[in-house]
Amino acid sequence: MASTAPAQKGASRKRQLDPLDLYDLRSSLSGEEQMVQDSVARMVDEKVLPVIRDAFEQHYFPAQLISEVAALGLLGSSLEGYECAGLNSVCYGLICQELERGDSGLRSFVSVQSSLVMFPIHAYGSEEQKQRWLPAMARGEAIGCFGLTEPHGGSDPSNMKTHARRDGGDWVLNGSKMWITNGNLADAAIVWAMTDDGVRGFIVEKHMDGFTAQEIENKFSLRASVTSALFLDNVRVPEANVLPGVVGLKGPLSCLTQARYGITWGVIGAAQACLAEALNYSRDRVLFERPLTHNQAIQLRLADMARRITTAQLLSLQLGRIKDRGELSPTQVSLAKWNNCRMALDVARDARDLLGGSGISAEYVPIRHMLNLESVITYEGTETVHQLVVGKELTGVNAF
Ligand SMILES: Cc1cc2nc3c(=O)[nH]c(=O)nc-3n(C[C@H](O)[C@H](O)[C@H](O)COP(=O)(O)OP(=O)(O)OC[C@H]3O[C@@H](n4cnc5c(N)ncnc54)[C@H](O)[C@@H]3O)c2cc1C
């Protein structure tokens, strides 16, 4: 006898889920958030994807994209005033996600300009500094970089060797910085240096005597991004270029919290691009007389990618809502930076493998994202550093 069991209470009608958004987070976004995501996605599809492979292979930053991201208001997008868009944190996250679906290099450019350069000028700068730099940076007419890491060890910024001493009305800076995104593109570097009072932030301008940037040429990761070493040899910086509003490591660390938040979203975009490629490839690839997708082992791997992406999406969206309530803790950001970077790197590596030999070709996106994510999991605090931040929160013990 055929079963006529009534439909279960609360069961919804079967509908097709979006493989890249299994929990339909899109429906919980506001109209403005959806609009921002759509416009950045369109720009990435039309302007970024056609050029990014060549930029990665030839190792250059596609500078023509600066005007594209500026035109959409993506530079300093969450800052208020000074020609900035004043968008909420979820919008900033979605911007990062869509940009990194294109390439981590472009997202890094926008993250550095927005969170590591414009944010500290906005939060700690004088009115004169804000007027001078923020509108020009929002328009993409002035580019910035952020110099915290030094050659002897980025995980321990309290051991800072770069120093600044007062000399009359000026400061004189000496030292060097390593692995600086946008270094050779920048008109101004926010350089963090030790003073007798503690760490201070200095706006070092590219024309200042004794200041040089040298591009790091031999990278196998973030090849569509400029990374540089900065050298400061008796650079004389006027008092007007010191950020007056902050003293101590909390200055640079507060900037990193902003940027790391964006990274938690960005890497989701890279992972989505890899899953999309793996899905397409395994549908088309016929082995043993059936498409790859007909194998349980392949489905398990695809399902695992989707599981990881979905949990990362939930983490970042919740983080964004907490941030917009003004209640964000840096430990919460560390947990998500650790989880989401690990997730994206694992997804990219598995997608690369699933494509077989094609997986090592730049014709497909996973190898490029995988190589990029090796940097993203390292910069702005390595995975270990973020694990130790969470460990410290749980135990109260500083184990660094
Ligand atoms: C492409 C790229 C772009 C970057 N952009 C910028 C930028 O714009 N501005 C900037 O200031 N910096 C930038 N960085 C630097 C980045 O933030 C540092 O590389 C990162 O913080 C790690 O520092 P490090 O490379 O000196 O490694 P180290 O600090 O020397 O760490 C080496 C290893 O030791 C581990 N480790 C460290 N401490 C501990 C501990 N207590 N216990 C256990 N393990 C530990 C680390 O996890 C790591 O595996 C960039 C880096 C890259 C690769």
Side-chain angles (χ1 to χ4, degrees), residues 72-327:
L72 285 181
L74 309 188
L75 300 175
S77 61
S78 35
L79 302 178
E80 296 284 349
Y82 307 97
E83 299 184 29
C84 299
L87 298 171
N88 72 7
S89 303
V90 171
C91 285
Y92 177 51
L94 291 162
I95 290 168
C96 291
Q97 180 182 302
E98 292 307 323
L99 291 176
E100 199 149 353
R101 184 172 61 78
D103 192 80
S104 304
L106 180 61
R107 199 270 307 140
S108 297
F109 171 85
V110 171
S111 288
V112 168
Q113 178 91 341
S114 300
S115 293
L116 298 181
V117 179
M118 296 175 72
F119 170 80
I121 294 173
H122 194 271
Y124 309 124
S126 66
E127 190 51 38
E128 189 196 340
Q129 291 166 353
K130 293 180 201 183
Q131 297 285 356
R132 175 166 176 210
W133 292 107
L134 294 178
M137 287 183 165
R139 290 196 295 264
E141 292 165 6
I143 305 303
C145 69
F146 173 90
L148 177 65
T149 303
E150 300 189 349
H152 57 273
S155 303
D156 182 14
S158 59
N159 182 27
M160 191 177 286
K161 309 278 191 231
T162 299
H163 60 88
R165 65 173 166 81
R166 279 187 193 277
D167 188 44
D170 297 336
W171 293 80
V172 177
L173 271 67
N174 279 287
S176 61
K177 299 287 177 181
M178 189 62 185
W179 301 115
I180 306 307
T181 303
N182 298 352
N184 280 73
L185 289 176
D187 300 286
I190 304 290
V191 171
W192 299 94
M194 192 61 84
T195 71
D196 289 344
D197 305 326
V199 171
R200 303 287 309 262
F202 296 83
I203 305 176
V204 177
E205 299 178 43
K206 75 170 175 194
H207 58 76
M208 288 178 167
D209 283 345
F211 177 53
T212 46
Q214 189 181 325
E215 187 160 357
I216 299 169
E217 301 280 4
N218 50 1
K219 291 179 299 167
F220 284 89
S221 174
L222 284 187
R223 288 174 61 84
S225 167
V226 171
T227 316
S228 311
L230 306 182
F231 301 98
L232 300 123
D233 181 11
N234 284 317
V235 181
R236 186 167 286 275
V237 178
E239 179 71 31
N241 281 33
V242 183
L243 297 178
V246 73
V247 178
L249 267 182
K250 66 175 182 287
L253 294 183
S254 66
C255 304
L256 290 173
T257 299
Q258 306 299 317
R260 288 164 176 168
Y261 162 76
I263 290 173
T264 76
W265 283 87
V267 293
I268 294 169
Q272 287 175 318
C274 292
L275 174 56
E277 192 88 280
L279 276 169
N280 281 339
Y281 191 87
S282 50
R283 278 187 196 116
D284 292 347
R285 189 79 170 167
V286 176
L287 294 167
F288 302 100
E289 297 174 10
R290 60 183 192 268
L292 270 184
T293 44
H294 290 221
N295 293 289
Q296 287 186 352
I298 296 292
Q299 288 200 10
L300 290 181
R301 291 168 70 180
L302 294 168
D304 197 53
M305 291 183 207
R307 172 185 67 83
R308 287 162 175 263
I309 290 172
T310 304
T311 50
Q313 286 170 319
L314 290 165
L315 227 55
S316 283
L317 183 61
Q318 174 65 0
L319 205 59
R321 298 294 180 220
I322 295 173
K323 191 169 188 299
D324 278 331
R325 291 202 303 268
E327 295 168 3

Side-chain angles (χ1 to χ4, degrees), residues 375-386:
S375 283
V376 181
I377 201 169
T378 291
Y379 71 23
E380 309 226 6
T382 64
E383 182 174 63
T384 308
V385 162
H386 290 294

